[in-house]
Amino acid sequence: MAFDASSLTYNDAGLIPAIAQDEVSGEILMMAWMNAESVARTLESKRVTYWSRSRQAFWVKGESSGHVQELVDFRVDCDRDCLLVVVRQTGPACHTNRRSCFYTAVRDGQEVELIRPMEE
């Protein structure tokens, strides 16, 4: 069966959450938004392309930073309202220069930093 991006369930803004996962470690790297066009661009180019809500523009991950996400696998959840992009990540995924955007945990009521910024 051929994939059709219009078969996905987008929110009222025409966006769908996309979770990026490292292909080797399985680590969750980040979450960002995609629209139908960024889904199509990602599948065609194999470079993960998100929709930046703040810039109202397409955002090819790593285009300016060099911290590229090369698409390895593209998965759709059972409700068709969330995506999982399995990636080959170059450098940090987070704009804070950390490997993952999920670097803070809440433990015993306290926020704990789990991941330090990467050395440049």
Side-chain angles (χ1 to χ4, degrees), residues 2 10 21 25 27 29 35 55 57 63-64 83 91 96 105 107:
Y10 300 92
Q21 180 181 35
S25 69
E27 179 181 23
L29 301 174
N35 60 19
R55 293 182 296 237
E63 193 169 51
S64 58
L83 303 173
T96 65
R107 296 188 176 157

Side-chain angles (χ1 to χ4, degrees), residues 9-89:
T9 303
Y10 300 92
N11 67 14
D12 292 342
L15 302 174
I16 187 170
I19 299 166
Q21 180 181 35
D22 184 84
E23 73 158 329
V24 174
S25 69
E27 179 181 23
I28 301 301
L29 301 174
M30 59 179 280
M31 190 290 282
W33 297 94
M34 289 184 165
N35 60 19
E37 179 65 22
S38 61
V39 167
R41 289 180 182 207
T42 296
L43 292 170
E44 182 179 311
S45 70
K46 303 297 186 220
R47 295 272 310 272
V48 181
T49 304
Y50 299 105
W51 177 256
S52 171
R53 296 176 302 163
S54 60
R55 293 182 296 237
Q56 290 293 294
F58 293 105
W59 161 37
V60 180
K61 182 68 174 159
E63 193 169 51
S64 58
S65 68
H67 303 153
V68 174
Q69 288 182 347
E70 180 185 343
L71 183 67
V72 175
D73 200 14
F74 187 92
R75 299 182 189 178
V76 179
D77 83 331
C78 58
D79 294 323
R80 303 189 74 75
D81 63 358
C82 187
L83 303 173
L84 177 65
V85 288
V86 180
V87 301
R88 188 168 299 119
Q89 176 72 45

